[in-house]
Amino acid sequence: MSETDTPHNLVVVHTRHWWRWIFSAIALFVVAQFAWSLLTTDRYQWDVFAEYFLSPSVLKALQLTLWLTVISGSIGFILGGVLAIARLSRSALLNSLAYGFIWFFRSVPLVVQLLVWYNLGYLYPTLGLGWPFTTDFWIHEFDTVTLISSFAAAVLGLSLNQAAYSAEIIRAGILSVDQGQLEAAAALGLPRRVRFFRIVLPQAARAIIPNAFNEIISLVKGTSVVFVVALPELFYTVQVIYNRTQQVIPLLLVAVVWYAIITTVLGIAQFYIERYFSRGSTRVLPPTPVQKFTRWVRVQWARLDDKPAPEESTAIQTAAGGIR
């Protein structure tokens, strides 16, 4: 082998991804065209958007939207966890009851559930505690209309509907855990509680979290349905304002941007939570967006200097037999 053929003098020729560059250029052109139209089209009325984006009524509605999401999501996932365990139970009664709950609330549209809860006083004027199978509420009696306000009806409808979907997500995550690990833990004599919380749940979380965040994001946008019970959440408030001012597009943009901000924050949280629970399945944690960007900058900077990129240099050194 001549000196010029040694691995140290090999020239790395990068693959030319022409089609990748062409489609990237087309996509960038479309995005730039849309951004240009956003900035130059007067009918978007950005001045009206700026006037209402941080207005007190919109912020108050946003706060109600977040509260509904937090309360309904918490109740939904806690109840969903109980239902998922019941579905996996060997008890035929618990399994059947959990299946019936999930079947019913997944079959009935959310709007119908909200309206039924809001009008429950028509079916049952009073609720209370007393003798079973009678209306003799001798312990305590409540007026249903007073007890179930529009906010309570919204929380009930969203929570129970969310619990039905969460139960199936959690059940699927638990079933995804390798049964061999459960058998090994049982063979070691670990208590059932330790097996579930220390072995099953951390592994099931990797399958549960992506779908759970999808459900939470859907729940954020699903809160817009509670306008049927006249609850002034974000979308309902925006509707009230543009019905009064007739400035539909800028007010809709206000709602869209706020929903996008909430979704973005949830997406960031999902990334870091998934990264945390991936510790058990990967030796090296996936890089964060900041780490990806800095690595990309180093590679591009090395290419400008006509020097091998850091990853390429490492690969050549390894092939050459551990040169330092």
Side-chain angles (χ1 to χ4, degrees), residues 132-148:
F133 307 111
T134 68
T135 56
D136 184 10
F137 304 128
W138 60 274
I139 298 177
H140 197 73
E141 188 171 4
F142 306 94
D143 181 51
T144 306
V145 176
T146 306
L147 181 65
I148 302 181

Side-chain angles (χ1 to χ4, degrees), residues 47-101:
D47 55 335
V48 178
F49 171 86
E51 178 184 352
Y52 286 101
F53 186 67
L54 295 175
S55 65
S57 58
V58 170
L59 292 181
K60 187 177 179 180
L62 175 67
Q63 184 180 7
L64 179 58
T65 297
L66 293 176
W67 268 117
L68 282 174
T69 304
V70 171
I71 296 173
S72 304
S74 302
I75 297 174
F77 276 95
I78 292 172
L79 184 57
V82 175
L83 289 169
I85 294 172
R87 283 279 286 130
L88 296 171
S89 169
R90 294 178 182 176
S91 167
L93 179 61
L94 288 178
N95 197 320
S96 301
L97 289 174
Y99 178 81
F101 180 96

Side-chain angles (χ1 to χ4, degrees), residues 19-31:
W19 286 109
R20 183 188 300 176
W21 284 105
I22 290 171
F23 282 112
S24 299
I26 293 173
L28 282 176
F29 170 76
V30 172
V31 172

